[in-house]
Amino acid sequence: MKTKEQFAADLEKQFGEYLDRNSIFHLIEVPKQPEHGDLAFPCYPLAGKMRRNPALIAQKAANELETNDYEKVEAVGAYLNVFLNKQQTANAILQKIIQEEQNYGNSQGGQGEVVAIDMSSPNIAKPFSLGHLRSTVIGNSLALIAEKCGYKTVRINHLGDWGTQFGKLIAAYKKWGSEEKVKKNTIKELLALYIRFHEEAEQSPELEEEGRFWFKQLEEGDEDAEALWKWFREESLREFDKIYKLLGISFDSDEGEAFYNDKMQHIIDVLTEKQLLTESEGAMVVELSEDNLPPCLIKKSDGATLYATRDLAAAVYRRETYQFSKSVYVVGNEQSLHFQQLKAVLRKMDYSWWEDIRHVSFGMILKEGKKMSTRKGKVVLLEDILQEAIELAKNNIEEKNPGLADKQSVAETVGVGAVIFHDLKNHRHNDIEFSLEDMLRVEGETGPYVQYTFARACSLLRKGEYQPAADEVIGCDLEAWPVVKLLDVFPTVVHRAAEQDDPSQIAKYVIDLAQAFNKYYAGTRILEEGKWKGQRLGLTFAVSVVLEEGLRLLGITAPEEM
């Protein structure tokens, strides 16, 4: 009875001197062509360690591998390929999934260490735009994947609640704002004021100076400025909470940039003590020429602190508070230079943990091929998109399954899930073209397609009155073998997604599994009475478990009926 785990154990007997079992396990591949075997081990990583040709290593391993429990073992170039005993292997894999259910694919690699994840982080007094979706859903998925791999996570919503934009907003409100209008429609009215400020500033550049003045007032604790700032913040959080509730996301901390105001002086003191600060045109900077980076600006010529100063204070605070083993920042590609500077300054400050800082970058969501900009008013509101997706999903339900119970709840699950899946199925580095129609299709590589496959599996299990039993023997017919092989690699996919900070690995996997199961379903009468019925339902149950868990790791709920 050989599975991927046992294949790794067999290889460890030969190569344990050079690679541990875990490394071997994660190197094992599933060949794209069935005629090349069920599992394949590439011998390239051993070539340097063993100082031998990888093809010779593969041939020697094939000769020495016991074939009693394998149907066939062969060396093809640098690959060692094995064909598994389908009945025994399927039984082992499916029993494991039935026994472990949602714990299938769990690992303890993280050993309870803490991962701090800086994610979402919208700016207050601005609407939660579609542009903030990526950081929010990528960060949440990475947290869920890390937890499955044995880490403890701290989700941090580092709100953009400080900076010169608030000086601009206060100046705009004082010039053109109406308390009545702002109270009636807070975020949209504040956005209109912000946009107007930038439009007017193009004609009257002195407005920029006025914005800087009001931010300086805010920094110095001016009562009027502070009262407006608090009001803007509270109203924004109320609006954001509606979005987070729809997305099913919560945070362990929502301390924004302002929280670090009283912690920045410590950073400046340490930089001064270590003689790292240099004056440049009246401003204070840390020179980073030895890292081939531009200077990191710590303090402006007017004494105002900057984004970098606050991020340094935040990094030190998080290390002291959470004792993280990794601190992950899920922030767009355009901030790459900032995080290179951040790490370089922390290294110069002699913080040994600077290497534990990771910038998980991502591309933009484009509308008709163009970036969306808040200051120019070219913004798509995420709440509007989610509500539209829910309405479209509801219309689909009314058309195809009008008798469905709790239609609103299912529509929310499908609509929101479609938006999340459309983001996460793309590699995070890629830009994404926004298309609501594409997201909600029940055919193709979409969230609703995977959800519908899960709901179909649940329907079959209900009709077949299937009850999983840990000791049942589940073989498989030949048609089911591609599905079984995919189920076997789920733990590897989770590991790879964690290692590469890449939820798209899981999104692509659940699409593959859904497609393989639907192909099996199309050619097999799963509920037909006979000796295979129980085994086919056992396979269906295993598929339902893995699809549901895969979607959960993306932050998506799987409805049992659609």
Side-chain angles (χ1 to χ4, degrees), residues 134 137-139 141-142 145 360 420-430 432 445 450 493-494 496-498 500-512 550 553-554:
R134 300 217 71 190
V137 299
I138 292 168
S141 182
L142 291 178
I145 292 165
V360 173
I420 296 172
F421 194 90
H422 181 73
D423 188 303
L424 296 181
K425 75 174 182 182
N426 295 281
H427 190 281
R428 57 184 170 80
H429 284 151
N430 299 337
I432 299 174
E445 299 180 353
V450 180
V493 173
V494 173
R496 201 165 56 228
Q500 298 174 15
D501 298 315
D502 180 17
S504 75
Q505 302 268 352
I506 290 172
K508 287 166 185 165
Y509 169 83
V510 292
I511 289 167
D512 289 345
L553 292 176
L554 299 173

Side-chain angles (χ1 to χ4, degrees), residues 150-291:
Y151 289 93
K152 290 178 181 172
T153 61
V154 181
R155 290 169 176 79
I156 300 168
N157 194 6
H158 186 68
L159 294 166
D161 62 359
W162 207 248
T164 52
Q165 69 266 34
F166 295 101
K168 293 174 183 181
L169 190 58
I170 291 167
Y173 178 76
K174 284 187 165 291
K175 274 186 175 298
W176 311 297
S178 153
E179 185 178 353
E180 185 186 345
K181 281 185 181 176
V182 172
K183 278 185 175 174
K184 192 175 177 183
N185 203 340
T186 309
I187 298 292
K188 285 184 180 173
E189 189 61 30
L190 291 176
L191 175 63
L193 287 170
Y194 186 74
I195 291 166
R196 183 173 177 183
F197 180 92
H198 284 281
E199 287 172 348
E200 300 264 356
E202 284 179 13
Q203 306 302 319
S204 311
E206 66 274 8
L207 271 177
E208 295 284 353
E209 192 57 46
E210 206 171 319
R212 283 191 286 274
F213 166 78
W214 276 109
F215 179 54
K216 193 77 168 61
Q217 292 293 97
L218 182 59
E219 281 205 307
E220 290 173 358
D222 176 84
E223 275 185 35
D224 195 13
E226 206 168 75
L228 284 172
W229 172 80
K230 280 181 180 172
W231 179 38
F232 297 158
R233 191 181 194 277
E234 284 162 12
E235 292 297 334
S236 299
L237 283 172
R238 219 184 322 274
E239 291 294 309
F240 295 162
D241 282 345
K242 294 180 197 170
I243 307 288
Y244 292 131
K245 192 175 178 185
L246 270 178
L247 292 170
I249 291 173
S250 60
F251 298 92
D252 301 295
S253 164
D254 62 3
E255 302 293 4
E257 293 181 61
F259 177 73
Y260 298 100
N261 279 347
D262 62 354
K263 298 167 182 61
M264 287 186 286
Q265 190 56 48
H266 170 68
I267 297 299
I268 293 166
D269 291 345
V270 173
L271 290 169
T272 305
E273 183 190 317
K274 292 185 178 290
Q275 300 182 325
L276 293 171
L277 284 180
T278 309
E279 191 175 326
S280 174
E281 298 177 15
M284 301 305 290
V285 304
V286 176
E287 286 292 343
L288 298 173
S289 52
E290 65 195 65
D291 295 279

Side-chain angles (χ1 to χ4, degrees), residues 376-546:
K376 291 180 181 172
K378 292 178 182 174
V379 65
V380 178
L381 305 186
L382 182 56
E383 186 175 13
D384 292 350
I385 294 302
L386 293 175
Q387 292 300 346
E388 197 177 336
I390 290 165
E391 280 307 306
L392 282 171
K394 200 172 179 182
N395 292 341
N396 287 342
I397 291 167
E398 290 287 4
E399 188 183 319
K400 292 174 182 172
N401 191 4
L404 180 68
D406 203 3
K407 283 184 270 198
Q408 181 62 31
S409 174
V410 175
E412 285 184 10
T413 298
V414 174
V416 173
V419 174
I420 296 172
F421 194 90
H422 181 73
D423 188 303
L424 296 181
K425 75 174 182 182
N426 295 281
H427 190 281
R428 57 184 170 80
H429 284 151
N430 299 337
D431 291 341
I432 299 174
E433 181 64 36
F434 174 77
S435 168
L436 200 56
E437 294 72 26
D438 287 349
M439 292 178 193
L440 280 153
R441 283 185 293 114
V442 186
E443 304 83 28
E445 299 180 353
T446 68
Y449 172 74
V450 180
Q451 287 173 317
Y452 182 73
T453 306
F454 170 77
R456 169 178 278 168
C458 290
S459 173
L460 288 165
L461 294 169
R462 282 193 302 273
K463 288 175 183 172
E465 298 180 347
Y466 178 77
Q467 292 296 323
D471 58 350
E472 67 182 305
V473 177
I474 309 173
C476 78
D477 45 13
L478 195 61
E479 293 79 8
W481 185 238
V483 181
V484 172
K485 284 202 295 181
L486 271 172
L487 290 169
D488 189 31
V489 298
F490 180 61
T492 303
V493 173
V494 173
H495 173 85
R496 201 165 56 228
E499 208 170 45
Q500 298 174 15
D501 298 315
D502 180 17
S504 75
Q505 302 268 352
I506 290 172
K508 287 166 185 165
Y509 169 83
V510 292
I511 289 167
D512 289 345
L513 180 58
Q515 287 174 339
F517 179 72
N518 283 325
K519 186 177 179 182
Y520 173 68
Y521 171 81
T524 308
R525 293 182 177 177
I526 291 173
L527 296 176
E528 187 176 65
E529 293 299 332
K531 70 167 187 172
W532 288 104
K533 181 183 173 184
Q535 298 186 17
R536 287 169 178 165
L537 285 171
L539 174 76
T540 303
F541 177 76
V543 168
S544 75
V545 166
V546 176

Side-chain angles (χ1 to χ4, degrees), residues 285-349:
V285 304
V286 176
E287 286 292 343
L288 298 173
S289 52
E290 65 195 65
D291 295 279
N292 296 316
L293 294 171
C296 183
L297 196 51
I298 299 296
K299 215 170 188 181
K300 287 186 184 176
S301 54
D302 64 0
T305 50
L306 286 129
Y307 185 51
T309 328
R310 286 189 285 277
D311 261 10
L312 287 165
V316 172
Y317 173 83
R318 290 170 188 176
R319 174 68 181 188
E320 289 172 352
T321 306
Y322 305 122
Q323 293 299 306
F324 58 71
S325 63
K326 281 189 289 187
S327 184
V328 175
Y329 292 78
V330 187
V331 182
N333 291 334
E334 66 274 11
Q335 292 295 325
S336 293
L337 173 61
H338 168 74
F339 287 104
Q340 288 171 3
Q341 290 178 309
L342 181 75
K343 291 178 73 169
V345 174
L346 288 169
R347 191 191 74 242
K348 280 176 166 280
M349 292 172 80

